[in-house]
């Protein structure tokens, strides 16, 4: 007799929730690679982060849903049901990830760790000396289930995004990054407040209720 383990039950429950998730269904219908596109869409529509003509860097971009959304914002007249709209872009999108990503028309993709010099050099070439208007970071670590260890991994990625923003953002630019409530969260908020003039925490409706994730937005770099 086969005995179902707790993990099997959890996986089946997650799969059932995922298949029936309205944002998953909407993503399939509208051609987005992941439901995460609607998290960015909701935050953008609320705060007005993304505008045509900007230079946007998408950290932790794979599979590409956030870059797809920005692509649509930069070519709204050409956006159809294909997720990655065709047509000439009014703006520049540079996406980075450790993982490979299927191409998106008009998006410059760099695979690698941006803390490594060779990857940083490729990024600087892609930016062509221009300051960045918006840094997006949906980076998340592989979680171990050990709370202290996972909190440290999350904090490291947020700190990397902050350092990236300090280096590349124009003075009035914005950073949007994923964080998780729990150990280390208040310290990350304080780091944002040290870095930006305006800081806002946002929990979009597209973020699952059970998830501890939220998003921090920082706008306008403080003078250093």
């Amino acid at each position: 007799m086969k005995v179902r383990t707790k993990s099997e039950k959890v996986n089946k429950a997650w799969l059932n929730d995922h298949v029936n998730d309205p944002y998953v269904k909407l993503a399939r219908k509208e051609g987005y690679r992941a439901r995460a596109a609607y998290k960015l869409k909701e935050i953008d529509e609320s705060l007005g982060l993304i505008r045509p003509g900007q230079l946007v860097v998408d950290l932790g971009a794979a599979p590409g849903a956030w870059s797809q959304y920005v692509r649509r914002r930069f070519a709204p007249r050409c956006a159809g049901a294909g997720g990655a709209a065709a047509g000439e872009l009014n703006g520049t999108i540079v996406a980075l990830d450790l993982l490979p990503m299927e191409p998106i028309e008009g998006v410059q993709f760099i695979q690698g760790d941006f803390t490594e010099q060779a990857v940083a050099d490729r990024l600087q070439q892609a930016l062509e000396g221009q300051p960045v208007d918006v840094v997006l970071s949906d980076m998340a670590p592989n979680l171990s289930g050990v709370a202290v260890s996972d909190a440290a991994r999350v904090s490291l990625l947020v700190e990397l995004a902050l350092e990236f923003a300090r280096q590349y953002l124009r003075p009035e630019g914005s950073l949007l990054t994923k964080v998780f409530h729990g150990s280390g969260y208040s310290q990350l908020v304080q780091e944002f407040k040290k870095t930006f003039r305006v800081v806002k925490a946002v929990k979009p409706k597209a973020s699952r209720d059970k998830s501890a994730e939220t998003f921090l937005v920082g706008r306008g770099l403080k003078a250093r």
Side-chain angles (χ1 to χ4, degrees), residues 6-214:
K6 182 178 180 181
S7 62
E8 287 175 332
K9 293 178 181 178
V10 169
N11 288 338
K12 186 174 181 179
W14 179 90
L15 182 60
N16 183 65
D17 289 346
H18 182 76
V19 169
N20 294 306
D21 187 302
Y23 290 104
V24 172
K25 294 178 179 178
L26 190 59
R28 291 198 191 102
K29 180 181 178 182
E30 297 190 342
Y32 284 116
R33 296 176 181 179
R35 68 190 302 285
Y38 299 101
K39 302 174 189 178
L40 176 58
K41 183 176 187 289
E42 185 177 337
I43 295 170
D44 179 41
E45 289 177 347
S46 173
L47 300 178
L49 296 177
I50 311 296
R51 298 185 302 276
Q54 290 177 326
L55 171 52
V56 175
V57 173
D58 183 5
L59 302 175
W66 279 20
S67 286
Q68 285 181 302
Y69 174 78
V70 178
R71 177 73 172 82
R72 286 190 173 193
R73 292 285 287 119
F74 284 179
R77 295 181 181 178
C78 303
E88 185 175 353
L89 275 180
N90 180 13
T92 301
I93 308 165
V94 180
L96 297 92
D97 204 298
L98 291 171
L99 301 174
M101 187 177 87
E102 288 295 318
I104 299 172
E105 182 185 339
V107 176
Q108 301 179 61
F109 177 66
I110 300 171
Q111 185 176 353
D113 184 344
F114 63 83
T115 64
E116 295 178 356
Q117 189 58 50
V119 178
D121 290 344
R122 291 173 61 195
L123 172 64
Q124 289 176 347
Q125 290 176 2
L127 299 180
E128 297 180 343
Q130 299 298 312
V132 177
D133 294 288
V134 181
V135 174
L136 304 174
S137 174
D138 198 25
M139 293 190 293
N142 293 322
L143 300 178
S144 65
V146 180
V148 174
S149 176
D150 288 342
R153 294 177 184 179
V154 169
S155 295
L156 175 60
L157 292 181
V158 176
E159 288 165 3
L160 287 173
L162 271 168
E163 186 54 39
F164 185 93
R166 295 184 190 113
Q167 183 175 356
Y168 291 103
L169 269 185
R170 65 171 66 251
E172 65 274 23
S174 301
L175 167 65
L176 167 64
T177 184
K178 178 160 64 181
V179 296
F180 292 89
H181 278 286
S183 177
Y185 174 77
S186 59
Q187 290 90 334
L188 292 174
V189 172
Q190 288 305 312
E191 284 300 312
F192 260 72
K193 290 181 176 180
K194 289 178 184 177
T195 304
F196 296 99
R197 297 192 298 273
V198 178
V199 176
K200 186 176 181 64
V202 185
K203 174 79 170 179
K205 293 177 183 177
S207 183
R208 291 187 173 99
D209 292 338
K210 297 177 183 178
S211 173
E213 75 173 8
T214 189

